[in-house]
PDB file of all heavy atoms in Angstrom:
ATOM      1  N   LEU A1329     -23.609  55.517 -52.072  1.00  0.00           N
ATOM      2  CA  LEU A1329     -24.593  56.029 -53.026  1.00  0.00           C
ATOM      3  C   LEU A1329     -24.736  57.517 -52.721  1.00  0.00           C
ATOM      4  O   LEU A1329     -25.185  57.895 -51.642  1.00  0.00           O
ATOM      5  CB  LEU A1329     -25.929  55.311 -52.856  1.00  0.00           C
ATOM      6  CG  LEU A1329     -27.061  55.764 -53.776  1.00  0.00           C
ATOM      7  CD1 LEU A1329     -26.711  55.464 -55.240  1.00  0.00           C
ATOM      8  CD2 LEU A1329     -28.362  55.087 -53.382  1.00  0.00           C
ATOM      9  N   VAL A1330     -24.305  58.357 -53.649  1.00  0.00           N
ATOM     10  CA  VAL A1330     -24.284  59.803 -53.442  1.00  0.00           C
ATOM     11  C   VAL A1330     -25.684  60.398 -53.577  1.00  0.00           C
ATOM     12  O   VAL A1330     -26.064  61.290 -52.824  1.00  0.00           O
ATOM     13  CB  VAL A1330     -23.310  60.482 -54.434  1.00  0.00           C
ATOM     14  CG1 VAL A1330     -23.361  61.993 -54.315  1.00  0.00           C
ATOM     15  CG2 VAL A1330     -21.894  59.968 -54.190  1.00  0.00           C
ATOM     16  N   SER A1331     -26.446  59.889 -54.550  1.00  0.00           N
ATOM     17  CA  SER A1331     -27.810  60.393 -54.730  1.00  0.00           C
ATOM     18  C   SER A1331     -28.737  59.236 -55.045  1.00  0.00           C
ATOM     19  O   SER A1331     -28.462  58.434 -55.923  1.00  0.00           O
ATOM     20  CB  SER A1331     -27.863  61.448 -55.829  1.00  0.00           C
ATOM     21  OG  SER A1331     -27.465  60.890 -57.063  1.00  0.00           O
ATOM     22  N   GLY A1332     -29.822  59.179 -54.325  1.00  0.00           N
ATOM     23  CA  GLY A1332     -30.780  58.091 -54.489  1.00  0.00           C
ATOM     24  C   GLY A1332     -32.062  58.536 -55.160  1.00  0.00           C
ATOM     25  O   GLY A1332     -33.008  57.790 -55.276  1.00  0.00           O
ATOM     26  N   GLY A1333     -32.139  59.756 -55.602  1.00  0.00           N
ATOM     27  CA  GLY A1333     -33.341  60.306 -56.225  1.00  0.00           C
ATOM     28  C   GLY A1333     -33.199  61.812 -56.306  1.00  0.00           C
ATOM     29  O   GLY A1333     -32.166  62.372 -55.949  1.00  0.00           O
ATOM     30  N   ALA A1334     -34.202  62.474 -56.767  1.00  0.00           N
ATOM     31  CA  ALA A1334     -34.117  63.936 -56.960  1.00  0.00           C
ATOM     32  C   ALA A1334     -34.734  64.698 -55.796  1.00  0.00           C
ATOM     33  O   ALA A1334     -35.498  65.628 -55.983  1.00  0.00           O
ATOM     34  CB  ALA A1334     -34.789  64.303 -58.272  1.00  0.00           C
ATOM     35  N   ARG A1335     -34.422  64.332 -54.604  1.00  0.00           N
ATOM     36  CA  ARG A1335     -34.988  65.003 -53.426  1.00  0.00           C
ATOM     37  C   ARG A1335     -33.934  65.882 -52.777  1.00  0.00           C
ATOM     38  O   ARG A1335     -32.886  65.410 -52.383  1.00  0.00           O
ATOM     39  CB  ARG A1335     -35.477  63.965 -52.419  1.00  0.00           C
ATOM     40  CG  ARG A1335     -36.503  63.010 -52.994  1.00  0.00           C
ATOM     41  CD  ARG A1335     -36.744  61.884 -52.027  1.00  0.00           C
ATOM     42  NE  ARG A1335     -35.489  61.142 -51.836  1.00  0.00           N
ATOM     43  CZ  ARG A1335     -35.406  59.855 -51.667  1.00  0.00           C
ATOM     44  NH1 ARG A1335     -36.485  59.125 -51.664  1.00  0.00           N
ATOM     45  NH2 ARG A1335     -34.263  59.256 -51.481  1.00  0.00           N
ATOM     46  N   ASP A1336     -34.209  67.143 -52.680  1.00  0.00           N
ATOM     47  CA  ASP A1336     -33.317  68.090 -51.991  1.00  0.00           C
ATOM     48  C   ASP A1336     -31.857  67.950 -52.433  1.00  0.00           C
ATOM     49  O   ASP A1336     -30.954  67.788 -51.614  1.00  0.00           O
ATOM     50  CB  ASP A1336     -33.411  67.930 -50.468  1.00  0.00           C
ATOM     51  CG  ASP A1336     -34.797  68.248 -49.944  1.00  0.00           C
ATOM     52  OD1 ASP A1336     -35.462  69.125 -50.531  1.00  0.00           O
ATOM     53  OD2 ASP A1336     -35.212  67.621 -48.963  1.00  0.00           O
ATOM     54  N   GLU A1337     -31.607  68.025 -53.713  1.00  0.00           N
ATOM     55  CA  GLU A1337     -30.247  67.899 -54.237  1.00  0.00           C
ATOM     56  C   GLU A1337     -29.399  69.109 -53.848  1.00  0.00           C
ATOM     57  O   GLU A1337     -29.890  70.227 -53.802  1.00  0.00           O
ATOM     58  CB  GLU A1337     -30.286  67.762 -55.758  1.00  0.00           C
ATOM     59  CG  GLU A1337     -28.929  67.438 -56.354  1.00  0.00           C
ATOM     60  CD  GLU A1337     -28.994  67.190 -57.840  1.00  0.00           C
ATOM     61  OE1 GLU A1337     -28.865  68.162 -58.610  1.00  0.00           O
ATOM     62  OE2 GLU A1337     -29.175  66.023 -58.220  1.00  0.00           O
ATOM     63  N   TYR A1338     -28.129  68.876 -53.569  1.00  0.00           N
ATOM     64  CA  TYR A1338     -27.188  69.956 -53.266  1.00  0.00           C
ATOM     65  C   TYR A1338     -25.810  69.602 -53.801  1.00  0.00           C
ATOM     66  O   TYR A1338     -25.528  68.445 -54.095  1.00  0.00           O
ATOM     67  CB  TYR A1338     -27.137  70.234 -51.758  1.00  0.00           C
ATOM     68  CG  TYR A1338     -26.557  69.105 -50.918  1.00  0.00           C
ATOM     69  CD1 TYR A1338     -25.217  69.107 -50.543  1.00  0.00           C
ATOM     70  CD2 TYR A1338     -27.350  68.051 -50.484  1.00  0.00           C
ATOM     71  CE1 TYR A1338     -24.683  68.091 -49.775  1.00  0.00           C
ATOM     72  CE2 TYR A1338     -26.821  67.025 -49.714  1.00  0.00           C
ATOM     73  CZ  TYR A1338     -25.488  67.051 -49.365  1.00  0.00           C
ATOM     74  OH  TYR A1338     -24.967  66.042 -48.603  1.00  0.00           O
ATOM     75  N   GLU A1339     -24.963  70.602 -53.946  1.00  0.00           N
ATOM     76  CA  GLU A1339     -23.599  70.390 -54.416  1.00  0.00           C
ATOM     77  C   GLU A1339     -22.683  70.124 -53.228  1.00  0.00           C
ATOM     78  O   GLU A1339     -22.677  70.883 -52.258  1.00  0.00           O
ATOM     79  CB  GLU A1339     -23.103  71.620 -55.176  1.00  0.00           C
ATOM     80  CG  GLU A1339     -23.794  71.832 -56.492  1.00  0.00           C
ATOM     81  CD  GLU A1339     -23.222  73.011 -57.271  1.00  0.00           C
ATOM     82  OE1 GLU A1339     -22.197  73.587 -56.852  1.00  0.00           O
ATOM     83  OE2 GLU A1339     -23.814  73.344 -58.306  1.00  0.00           O
ATOM     84  N   ALA A1340     -21.913  69.056 -53.346  1.00  0.00           N
ATOM     85  CA  ALA A1340     -20.936  68.716 -52.301  1.00  0.00           C
ATOM     86  C   ALA A1340     -19.546  68.780 -52.909  1.00  0.00           C
ATOM     87  O   ALA A1340     -19.286  68.156 -53.935  1.00  0.00           O
ATOM     88  CB  ALA A1340     -21.214  67.324 -51.753  1.00  0.00           C
ATOM     89  N   LYS A1341     -18.682  69.546 -52.281  1.00  0.00           N
ATOM     90  CA  LYS A1341     -17.312  69.701 -52.795  1.00  0.00           C
ATOM     91  C   LYS A1341     -16.285  69.012 -51.900  1.00  0.00           C
ATOM     92  O   LYS A1341     -15.090  69.219 -52.048  1.00  0.00           O
ATOM     93  CB  LYS A1341     -16.991  71.176 -52.960  1.00  0.00           C
ATOM     94  CG  LYS A1341     -17.892  71.843 -54.000  1.00  0.00           C
ATOM     95  CD  LYS A1341     -17.390  73.194 -54.372  1.00  0.00           C
ATOM     96  CE  LYS A1341     -18.285  73.860 -55.376  1.00  0.00           C
ATOM     97  NZ  LYS A1341     -18.067  73.443 -56.735  1.00  0.00           N
ATOM     98  N   SER A1342     -16.782  68.184 -50.966  1.00  0.00           N
ATOM     99  CA  SER A1342     -15.867  67.459 -50.080  1.00  0.00           C
ATOM    100  C   SER A1342     -16.530  66.185 -49.561  1.00  0.00           C
ATOM    101  O   SER A1342     -17.747  66.087 -49.499  1.00  0.00           O
ATOM    102  CB  SER A1342     -15.438  68.336 -48.901  1.00  0.00           C
ATOM    103  OG  SER A1342     -16.554  68.623 -48.085  1.00  0.00           O
ATOM    104  N   ILE A1343     -15.672  65.229 -49.215  1.00  0.00           N
ATOM    105  CA  ILE A1343     -16.109  63.997 -48.558  1.00  0.00           C
ATOM    106  C   ILE A1343     -15.263  63.854 -47.309  1.00  0.00           C
ATOM    107  O   ILE A1343     -14.032  63.911 -47.370  1.00  0.00           O
ATOM    108  CB  ILE A1343     -15.877  62.749 -49.442  1.00  0.00           C
ATOM    109  CG1 ILE A1343     -16.569  62.877 -50.790  1.00  0.00           C
ATOM    110  CG2 ILE A1343     -16.330  61.490 -48.709  1.00  0.00           C
ATOM    111  CD1 ILE A1343     -16.179  61.772 -51.776  1.00  0.00           C
ATOM    112  N   THR A1344     -15.922  63.682 -46.187  1.00  0.00           N
ATOM    113  CA  THR A1344     -15.214  63.450 -44.927  1.00  0.00           C
ATOM    114  C   THR A1344     -15.615  62.078 -44.409  1.00  0.00           C
ATOM    115  O   THR A1344     -16.800  61.735 -44.394  1.00  0.00           O
ATOM    116  CB  THR A1344     -15.570  64.534 -43.883  1.00  0.00           C
ATOM    117  OG1 THR A1344     -15.300  65.803 -44.443  1.00  0.00           O
ATOM    118  CG2 THR A1344     -14.762  64.360 -42.616  1.00  0.00           C
ATOM    119  N   LEU A1345     -14.625  61.311 -43.999  1.00  0.00           N
ATOM    120  CA  LEU A1345     -14.858  59.959 -43.532  1.00  0.00           C
ATOM    121  C   LEU A1345     -14.399  59.846 -42.076  1.00  0.00           C
ATOM    122  O   LEU A1345     -13.271  60.222 -41.757  1.00  0.00           O
ATOM    123  CB  LEU A1345     -14.061  58.993 -44.412  1.00  0.00           C
ATOM    124  CG  LEU A1345     -14.187  57.511 -44.183  1.00  0.00           C
ATOM    125  CD1 LEU A1345     -14.095  56.801 -45.517  1.00  0.00           C
ATOM    126  CD2 LEU A1345     -13.123  57.006 -43.265  1.00  0.00           C
ATOM    127  N   GLY A1346     -15.270  59.355 -41.224  1.00  0.00           N
ATOM    128  CA  GLY A1346     -14.921  59.091 -39.832  1.00  0.00           C
ATOM    129  C   GLY A1346     -14.907  57.588 -39.592  1.00  0.00           C
ATOM    130  O   GLY A1346     -15.627  56.834 -40.254  1.00  0.00           O
ATOM    131  N   LEU A1347     -14.072  57.144 -38.689  1.00  0.00           N
ATOM    132  CA  LEU A1347     -13.970  55.729 -38.352  1.00  0.00           C
ATOM    133  C   LEU A1347     -14.594  55.482 -36.988  1.00  0.00           C
ATOM    134  O   LEU A1347     -14.412  56.277 -36.066  1.00  0.00           O
ATOM    135  CB  LEU A1347     -12.512  55.299 -38.348  1.00  0.00           C
ATOM    136  CG  LEU A1347     -11.781  55.487 -39.675  1.00  0.00           C
ATOM    137  CD1 LEU A1347     -10.280  55.321 -39.483  1.00  0.00           C
ATOM    138  CD2 LEU A1347     -12.301  54.515 -40.711  1.00  0.00           C
ATOM    139  N   GLN A1348     -15.290  54.383 -36.867  1.00  0.00           N
ATOM    140  CA  GLN A1348     -15.921  54.042 -35.602  1.00  0.00           C
ATOM    141  C   GLN A1348     -14.950  53.287 -34.694  1.00  0.00           C
ATOM    142  O   GLN A1348     -14.089  52.554 -35.177  1.00  0.00           O
ATOM    143  CB  GLN A1348     -17.166  53.193 -35.845  1.00  0.00           C
ATOM    144  CG  GLN A1348     -18.228  53.960 -36.630  1.00  0.00           C
ATOM    145  CD  GLN A1348     -19.539  53.241 -36.647  1.00  0.00           C
ATOM    146  OE1 GLN A1348     -20.042  52.821 -35.604  1.00  0.00           O
ATOM    147  NE2 GLN A1348     -20.113  53.095 -37.823  1.00  0.00           N
ATOM    148  N   GLY A1349     -15.124  53.482 -33.395  1.00  0.00           N
ATOM    149  CA  GLY A1349     -14.326  52.767 -32.412  1.00  0.00           C
ATOM    150  C   GLY A1349     -15.001  51.460 -32.029  1.00  0.00           C
ATOM    151  O   GLY A1349     -16.047  51.099 -32.559  1.00  0.00           O
ATOM    152  N   ARG A1350     -14.390  50.759 -31.084  1.00  0.00           N
ATOM    153  CA  ARG A1350     -14.896  49.455 -30.654  1.00  0.00           C
ATOM    154  C   ARG A1350     -16.315  49.546 -30.096  1.00  0.00           C
ATOM    155  O   ARG A1350     -17.173  48.747 -30.439  1.00  0.00           O
ATOM    156  CB  ARG A1350     -13.976  48.869 -29.586  1.00  0.00           C
ATOM    157  CG  ARG A1350     -14.458  47.524 -29.066  1.00  0.00           C
ATOM    158  CD  ARG A1350     -13.604  47.038 -27.955  1.00  0.00           C
ATOM    159  NE  ARG A1350     -12.270  46.778 -28.482  1.00  0.00           N
ATOM    160  CZ  ARG A1350     -11.450  45.876 -28.010  1.00  0.00           C
ATOM    161  NH1 ARG A1350     -11.802  45.162 -26.983  1.00  0.00           N
ATOM    162  NH2 ARG A1350     -10.272  45.692 -28.534  1.00  0.00           N
ATOM    163  N   LYS A1351     -16.572  50.539 -29.266  1.00  0.00           N
ATOM    164  CA  LYS A1351     -17.899  50.684 -28.665  1.00  0.00           C
ATOM    165  C   LYS A1351     -18.811  51.458 -29.611  1.00  0.00           C
ATOM    166  O   LYS A1351     -18.396  52.471 -30.180  1.00  0.00           O
ATOM    167  CB  LYS A1351     -17.807  51.423 -27.331  1.00  0.00           C
ATOM    168  CG  LYS A1351     -17.054  50.661 -26.280  1.00  0.00           C
ATOM    169  CD  LYS A1351     -16.986  51.438 -24.994  1.00  0.00           C
ATOM    170  CE  LYS A1351     -16.165  50.689 -23.970  1.00  0.00           C
ATOM    171  NZ  LYS A1351     -15.982  51.434 -22.736  1.00  0.00           N
ATOM    172  N   PRO A1352     -20.059  51.002 -29.805  1.00  0.00           N
ATOM    173  CA  PRO A1352     -20.987  51.749 -30.651  1.00  0.00           C
ATOM    174  C   PRO A1352     -21.096  53.209 -30.187  1.00  0.00           C
ATOM    175  O   PRO A1352     -21.167  53.489 -28.999  1.00  0.00           O
ATOM    176  CB  PRO A1352     -22.317  51.017 -30.464  1.00  0.00           C
ATOM    177  CG  PRO A1352     -21.909  49.623 -30.088  1.00  0.00           C
ATOM    178  CD  PRO A1352     -20.654  49.785 -29.259  1.00  0.00           C
ATOM    179  N   GLY A1353     -21.050  54.115 -31.141  1.00  0.00           N
ATOM    180  CA  GLY A1353     -21.134  55.535 -30.818  1.00  0.00           C
ATOM    181  C   GLY A1353     -19.785  56.194 -30.606  1.00  0.00           C
ATOM    182  O   GLY A1353     -19.693  57.413 -30.541  1.00  0.00           O
ATOM    183  N   SER A1354     -18.711  55.387 -30.508  1.00  0.00           N
ATOM    184  CA  SER A1354     -17.379  55.963 -30.315  1.00  0.00           C
ATOM    185  C   SER A1354     -16.689  56.124 -31.669  1.00  0.00           C
ATOM    186  O   SER A1354     -17.090  55.524 -32.662  1.00  0.00           O
ATOM    187  CB  SER A1354     -16.537  55.077 -29.397  1.00  0.00           C
ATOM    188  OG  SER A1354     -16.256  53.839 -30.015  1.00  0.00           O
ATOM    189  N   THR A1355     -15.659  56.955 -31.689  1.00  0.00           N
ATOM    190  CA  THR A1355     -14.901  57.160 -32.921  1.00  0.00           C
ATOM    191  C   THR A1355     -13.443  56.786 -32.694  1.00  0.00           C
ATOM    192  O   THR A1355     -12.963  56.761 -31.561  1.00  0.00           O
ATOM    193  CB  THR A1355     -14.979  58.624 -33.399  1.00  0.00           C
ATOM    194  OG1 THR A1355     -14.504  59.474 -32.359  1.00  0.00           O
ATOM    195  CG2 THR A1355     -16.387  59.008 -33.782  1.00  0.00           C
ATOM    196  N   ALA A1356     -12.752  56.504 -33.793  1.00  0.00           N
ATOM    197  CA  ALA A1356     -11.328  56.159 -33.737  1.00  0.00           C
ATOM    198  C   ALA A1356     -10.567  57.179 -34.573  1.00  0.00           C
ATOM    199  O   ALA A1356     -10.762  57.272 -35.780  1.00  0.00           O
ATOM    200  CB  ALA A1356     -11.104  54.752 -34.278  1.00  0.00           C
ATOM    201  N   GLY A1357      -9.736  57.949 -33.938  1.00  0.00           N
ATOM    202  CA  GLY A1357      -8.934  58.933 -34.656  1.00  0.00           C
ATOM    203  C   GLY A1357      -9.730  60.148 -35.097  1.00  0.00           C
ATOM    204  O   GLY A1357     -10.867  60.362 -34.681  1.00  0.00           O
TER     205      GLY A1357
END
Side-chain angles (χ1 to χ4, degrees):
L1329 179 64
V1330 175
S1331 62
R1335 303 170 298 216
D1336 297 327
E1337 188 175 89
Y1338 66 96
E1339 291 184 7
K1341 297 192 181 279
S1342 65
I1343 303 171
T1344 305
L1345 183 145
L1347 300 168
Q1348 297 191 50
R1350 179 185 295 210
K1351 295 180 183 176
S1354 67
T1355 57

